[in-house]
């Protein structure tokens, strides 16, 4: 990864009050003059801006990029690759879901290998986040304004008799998800089907979540295993990023059935 790209990622991960040039130089393992040069280059490109207090913030060009990314329906390949690992380890269908245009949207799915499988939700599916493990994860870890906006526009709808529709109960559920670091649902979206989902974080930002969907009986026996595999898939992203950075040396990249799941 280039130094400029590393710097942008670092700024994204740091609270505004901690974005001092000395801190950034230490984090990047480079000199203060080098960081100033990179910052000025990024300001010239309008990827960053500097306010009257000499604090660096993201600029207009970054806003254009972020909007374009949020409208992109095809996920980055590196986020999809761990789904194959999930299937190899569990035999169950696996999904990648993320926020897109204010909704939790299925971006990718891979079918499992078990003889009995649940019906797949196709990429592009959105809606009834309160009934889906992935929806609970994305809502629990979303910025408060984004969560409130979604819930204001999408009433808690019952899909099955087990779907949570009481706002107070659902709020409690989201707090539990945030504490646990994962979400589950058993027959809340489809009879006979259960899911478990974990968030995918990159540099302190919520990129989406991975979900395993399975028949209820198999889920009840294997839930702990499914959760461990999902967490290992997220860790796999960190390992690949470290390997890419190590390979570059100077900071450049190295060469290279039933129901519905959610």
């Amino acid at each position: 990864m280039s130094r400029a790209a590393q710097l942008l990622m670092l700024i994204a991960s740091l609270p505004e009050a901690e974005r001092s040039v000395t801190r950034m130089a230490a984090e990047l393992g480079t000199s203060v003059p080098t960081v100033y040069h990179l910052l000025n280059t990024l300001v010239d490109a309008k990827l960053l801006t500097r306010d009257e207090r000499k604090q660096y913030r993201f600029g207009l060009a970054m806003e254009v990029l972020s909007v374009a990314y949020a409208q992109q329906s095809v996920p980055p390949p590196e986020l999809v690759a761990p789904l194959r690992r999930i299937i190899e380890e569990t035999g169950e269908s696996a999904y990648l879901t993320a926020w897109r245009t204010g909704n939790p949207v299925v971006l990718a799915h891979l079918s499992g290998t078990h003889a009995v499988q649940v019906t797949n939700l196709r990429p592009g599916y959105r809606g009834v986040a309160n009934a889906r493990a992935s929806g609970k994860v994305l809502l629990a870890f979303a910025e408060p304004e984004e969560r409130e906006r979604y819930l204001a526009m999408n009433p808690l709808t019952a899909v099955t008799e087990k779907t949570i529709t009481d706002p107070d109960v659902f709020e409690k559920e989201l707090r539990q998800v945030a504490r646990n670091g994962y979400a589950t649902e058993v027959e809340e979206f489809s009879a006979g089907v259960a899911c478990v989902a974990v968030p995918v974080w990159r540099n302190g930002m919520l990129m989406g979540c991975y979900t395993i969907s399975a028949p209820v009986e198999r889920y009840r026996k294997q839930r702990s295993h499914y959760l461990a595999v999902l967490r290992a898939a997220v860790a796999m992203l960190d390992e690949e990023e470290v390997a890419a950075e190590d390979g570059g040396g100077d900071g450049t990249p190295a060469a290279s059935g039933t129901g519905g799941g959610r």
Side-chain angles (χ1 to χ4, degrees):
M1 185 184 298
S2 73
R3 291 287 187 178
Q6 285 182 315
L7 182 56
L8 284 174
M9 295 296 285
L10 176 60
I11 291 172
S13 67
L14 289 174
E16 289 187 11
E18 298 179 24
R19 294 174 185 173
S20 69
V21 175
T22 52
R23 169 72 183 276
M24 291 187 279
E27 293 283 349
L28 293 176
T30 189
S31 66
V32 168
T34 297
V35 171
Y36 271 121
H37 172 72
L38 292 170
L39 289 169
N40 289 334
T41 299
L42 293 168
V43 168
D44 289 343
K46 293 186 170 36
L47 290 166
L48 293 178
T49 185
R50 189 172 66 169
D51 63 21
E52 62 279 359
R53 294 179 298 166
K54 298 185 178 179
Q55 291 287 319
Y56 289 93
R57 306 176 189 278
F58 290 113
L60 181 61
M62 189 62 75
E63 176 73 14
V64 173
L65 291 175
S66 65
V67 170
Y69 180 81
Q71 294 175 340
Q72 180 175 272
S73 60
V74 179
E78 60 268 27
L79 289 182
V80 178
L83 295 179
R84 298 183 182 89
R85 168 84 169 270
I86 293 169
I87 292 170
E88 290 171 2
E89 296 288 333
T90 68
E92 306 292 1
S93 295
Y95 298 81
L96 168 65
T97 307
W99 285 106
R100 289 294 184 270
T101 61
N103 287 277
V105 179
V106 176
L107 298 184
H109 88 275
L110 292 178
S111 298
T113 57
H114 282 301
V116 178
Q117 285 292 319
V118 298
T119 302
N120 294 316
L121 288 183
R122 300 298 176 184
Y125 182 87
R126 65 186 66 204
V128 288
N130 60 300
R132 299 158 54 198
S134 58
K136 293 178 186 180
V137 164
L138 294 178
L139 285 168
F141 292 104
E143 293 296 328
E145 298 81 6
E146 187 172 26
R147 178 170 56 250
E148 291 168 9
R149 183 165 53 249
Y150 177 85
L151 292 174
M153 298 178 65
N154 298 271
L156 303 182
T157 303
V159 184
T160 74
E161 62 181 14
K162 296 186 178 181
T163 306
I164 300 174
T165 57
D166 183 295
D168 293 333
V169 175
F170 191 63
E171 182 179 348
K172 182 179 178 180
E173 177 83 353
L174 294 185
R175 288 199 299 268
Q176 186 68 36
V177 171
R179 285 194 297 269
N180 292 342
Y182 66 91
T184 64
E185 66 87 0
V186 179
E187 299 187 298
E188 294 178 42
F189 184 81
S190 184
V193 180
C195 294
V196 57
V198 300
V200 176
W201 297 96
R202 312 301 305 139
N203 296 287
M205 293 182 290
L206 180 64
M207 303 302 294
C209 65
Y210 291 139
T211 306
I212 287 174
S213 181
V216 170
E217 291 307 315
R218 205 155 62 214
Y219 167 86
R220 285 175 175 152
K221 295 176 182 177
Q222 298 289 328
R223 194 188 81 158
S224 295
H225 175 56
Y226 294 164
L227 183 56
V229 170
L230 286 170
R231 286 173 166 163
V234 175
M236 186 175 143
L237 293 171
D238 294 325
E239 292 166 3
E240 290 178 350
E241 181 173 319
V242 170
E245 291 178 355
D246 288 347
D250 62 351
T252 58
S256 349
T258 59
R262 41 268 158 232

